[in-house]
Every structure is written in structure tokens, then in C-alpha cells.
Amino acid sequence: MVLHEAAAALDWVMDKSLVLGYTKIGPAVRRNWWPHDPVPGALIGRHVLVTGASGGLGLATARGLARLGAAVHLTGRNASRLDDARSMLLDEQPLAELTVHVADISDLAATAEFARQFSTDVPRLHAVVHNAGVMPPKRTVTPEGHELTLATHVLGPHVLTYGLRKALAGGRVVLVTSGGAYGQRLDAADPEYAEGDYSGVTAYARTKRMQLVLTELWARDLEPDGIRVHSMHPGWADTPGVTDSLPRFAAVTGPLLRDADSGADTAVWLTATDDAIGTGGFWHDRRRRPTHYAPVGIETPEQVGQFWDFVLDATEQPAPGA
Ligand SMILES: NC(=O)c1ccc[n+]([C@@H]2O[C@H](COP(=O)([O-])OP(=O)(O)OC[C@H]3O[C@@H](n4cnc5c(N)ncnc54)[C@H](OP(=O)(O)O)[C@@H]3O)[C@@H](O)[C@H]2O)c1
């Protein structure tokens, strides 16, 4: 996957400019050099679980995976929204194998139980795509006592990944993170965002930074099981999440936003490609990206260790049936 020098330079400039790279201009240009599509039918006979698949990018990811033949499991918090999503996909692809599961990823105990039951029903899982995301307007704490973006983007995905570890052997994990992570450092001292003035946008971006760190930690930890872990960011895509949580941003960027399928493209590609892409990477538009653009703010090994200890401690679950 060696890019011609001129293409690599143009790609880099587009990435740094944000508008050229993150909007629909990004894939329109980059598809001229990005890696080939997964072969048709690449996922036939494989199960893939997509969290937050009732709308937006999760629904688009489910669509892309189903087109490649996967049996797709869609999760979300609302049964009727999931049923609507399934019906919409079946209208488009009548032979698609789609199963919906009501599962709130921010509820750690319920997620552990969901993973246990799911592994019994689906003992071999090709991949999980951690897509579910939120940007609450004010600090919200789950009934288990965790700040909501942390529970949704970090702790819940950790519980789900490790609950599915056996089923995922030889498979893949994809985290849908955000370019917003570039604007935040890892805050291992206050992961629950209990100190300072809370901002939903900041909480979101902080936990997206944590997802990048988690990608590298999971990649190392899960390598012995042959599980490959990657994260990606979708750029700026036209989804209910963007129009509801960032209406002013959506109004300004509206005509330039990518469609959801284009935002989901790299998550689908990472799940299905046969290319030798290793593990532990951060991707956008089918190309590996740096996790930091400047040395300032790179997390120290001590901060990473402190964060990992926090995640392990916060996600400790009672043994099933205990
Ligand atoms: N759109 C963009 O431009 C953009 C940019 C950067 C990153 N992202 C990332 O892409 C992902 C999807 O974003 P989106 O724009 O598609 O958002 P969206 O339109 O708001 O969709 C979010 C999805 O997550 C589900 N969800 C939320 N909380 C959940 C929970 N606790 N458990 C299970 N499902 C939950 C929602 O379903 P229910 O409400 O029905 O549960 C919905 O299906 C997020 O991780 C976001 O951070 C998006």
C-alpha cells in the first residue's frame, strides 16, 4: 500500500486542512489511490456485530457489511428504531441476514451479560464494530456511576470486547472514533471528567482520545488470540448525531458533509479487507493516520498505564451467575 509521493503529499495536505479531507471532497479525491475494495462476498458466512446501528454511521456500516455477505447483528437502545433500521436494510437487500439486539453499551453489567449470551448464540464472531456514540449537552452519570461518554465510548466497549474475546479469536475489532481526538490529550487523572467545567463536546473528544489509546492497548493484549484491533475516524458525515448535537456546525458544513455510507466506508473496509494491515492502527479514508500531529500532548507510558489500570478497575464485572 505504498502511495505515490505526490498522492501522499496531497493526501497529507487534505488531512491537515480538515475541510478538504474530512468532507465529501476527501473520499472523492482519495478513491483515486486508496486500496481496492474488499472482494464481493468477502464476508459470506461471517458474523459481525455493530453497536449503535439503529441510525447514522452504524446503520451505514451494517449496510456495507451486509452487501459483502456478512450476517450482521445490529445493537441499539431502542427496539422500534432497530426494527425500522432492519426493515430499511431488508428493503434494499432482501436476502440480508440481519438480527437486532436491544443492548445499552453504557450499562456495563448489562453489556457483560449481553456478551455472555451473544457468545453462546454466536460462538464464532468475525468482528465487532464499536460505533455507538453520544454527545450529551450536560454531564450525565449512568446508574452505575460513570460519566456517560466514558461509559459509552470506553468502558462499555471494553466490557463487550473482553466478553466476546473467545468468540472473536482470529477476528477483528474496529473502534469508530473521531478526528476530535486530535484536540484532546489523554486525561488519565480525571477520566470521569469530574473536575472543571463540563462541556459535552470536550467530554466527547476526551473519550475519543481514550479510544485511540485503547486501540493500542487492546491490540497488544489481544494479539495472542489473533485478534486485530484498529480505530478509524469517519470525517464529517451527515447523520442525526451531527444535526442534533452540532446544529450550527451542520448548518455551516451541510452541503459539504459526506453521506453516512462514505463516513462508514473505512470501518467496513477494515472489517473486510484481506490486505496486510497489521494491528493497532488509526485509519481514515483507508489510510493509516498519525494519532498526534505534534509531539506536544503525546501521552507518557505512565499516563497510559494509569489509564489502563483505571479501565480494568472500572470494568471489573462479577463472574456470570455469581
Ligand atoms: N457523524 C460524524 O460526522 C462523526 C464524526 C466523527 C465521529 N463520529 C462517530 O461515529 C459514531 C456514530 O456517530 P453518528 O454520527 O452516526 O451518531 P448518531 O446518528 O447519533 O447515531 C448514534 C448511534 O448510537 C446509538 N447509541 C447511542 N448510545 C448508545 C448506547 N448507550 N448503547 C447502544 N447504542 C447507542 C444510537 O442508537 P439509539 O439512540 O437508538 O440507542 C445510534 O444508533 C460515533 O461513535 C461518533 O462518535 C461521527
Side-chain angles (χ1 to χ4, degrees):
M1 218 189 310
V2 181
L3 274 188
H4 186 278
E5 258 175 47
L10 177 57
D11 191 304
W12 186 84
V13 169
M14 290 174 74
D15 214 35
K16 292 289 282 182
S17 80
L18 299 191
V19 170
L20 291 177
Y22 285 27
T23 60
K24 62 184 176 191
I25 301 167
V29 175
R30 288 166 171 153
R31 69 176 67 254
N32 291 307
W33 58 70
W34 74 22
H36 63 81
D37 290 345
V39 293
L43 295 175
I44 288 174
R46 294 172 190 232
H47 290 262
V48 181
L49 175 63
V50 182
T51 70
S54 60
L57 295 176
L59 175 59
T61 303
R63 175 184 294 117
L65 296 169
R67 278 192 189 131
L68 291 168
V72 187
H73 299 263
L74 299 85
T75 82
R77 294 167 297 182
N78 182 301
S80 74
R81 281 169 49 119
L82 283 168
D83 287 339
D84 289 349
R86 182 171 181 273
S87 301
M88 187 192 299
L89 293 181
L90 283 175
D91 282 346
E92 298 166 9
Q93 306 180 59
L95 298 180
E97 208 180 314
L98 306 166
T99 312
V100 299
H101 307 264
V102 176
D104 180 344
I105 193 79
S106 73
D107 181 336
L108 307 192
T111 298
E113 175 54 24
F114 170 71
R116 192 193 62 75
Q117 187 59 53
F118 188 89
S119 307
T120 308
D121 298 342
V122 183
R124 289 207 59 175
L125 180 63
H126 172 68
V128 57
V129 180
H130 291 293
N131 165 81
V134 283
M135 190 186 285
K138 57 181 196 236
R139 191 170 188 276
T140 308
V141 176
T142 68
E144 292 173 324
H146 299 294
E147 189 278 321
L148 185 61
T149 63
L150 179 75
T152 306
H153 303 152
V154 176
L155 301 179
H158 184 80
V159 171
L160 186 58
T161 299
Y162 281 74
L164 297 173
R165 185 175 187 160
K166 253 195 181 159
L168 276 169
R172 303 177 192 193
V173 177
V174 177
L175 277 145
V176 179
T177 179
S178 165
Y182 282 119
Q184 290 294 320
R185 300 174 182 204
L186 178 69
D187 191 339
D190 181 24
E192 299 276 4
Y193 202 163
E195 290 158 22
D197 288 340
Y198 184 89
S199 138
V201 174
T202 305
Y204 172 88
R206 282 162 59 122
T207 51
K208 293 290 167 181
R209 165 60 64 196
M210 290 177 197
Q211 288 185 320
L212 295 186
V213 176
L214 210 51
T215 300
E216 293 173 3
L217 288 163
W218 286 356
R220 273 200 293 279
D221 198 43
L222 297 173
E223 198 155 24
D225 300 306
I227 301 172
R228 284 178 285 157
V229 185
H230 292 283
S231 53
M232 55 75 68
H233 84 81
W236 297 334
D238 188 0
T239 65
V242 167
T243 43
D244 296 351
S245 301
L246 299 169
R248 274 168 45 199
F249 172 78
V252 172
T253 52
L256 284 176
L257 290 176
R258 302 161 177 233
D259 64 21
D261 290 329
S262 170
D265 171 85
T266 298
V268 174
W269 179 79
L270 285 168
T271 304
T273 184
D274 274 341
D275 289 358
I277 57 170
T279 187
F282 174 40
W283 298 77
H284 173 58
D285 282 347
R286 303 193 191 185
R287 184 159 193 227
R288 206 164 169 158
R289 308 284 166 181
T291 54
H292 295 267
Y293 271 114
V296 181
I298 294 180
E299 46 282 343
T300 63
E302 290 72 28
Q303 288 168 327
V304 172
Q306 187 181 3
F307 170 65
W308 187 228
D309 287 347
F310 164 76
V311 171
L312 296 181
D313 196 43
T315 55
E316 201 179 14
Q317 297 295 313

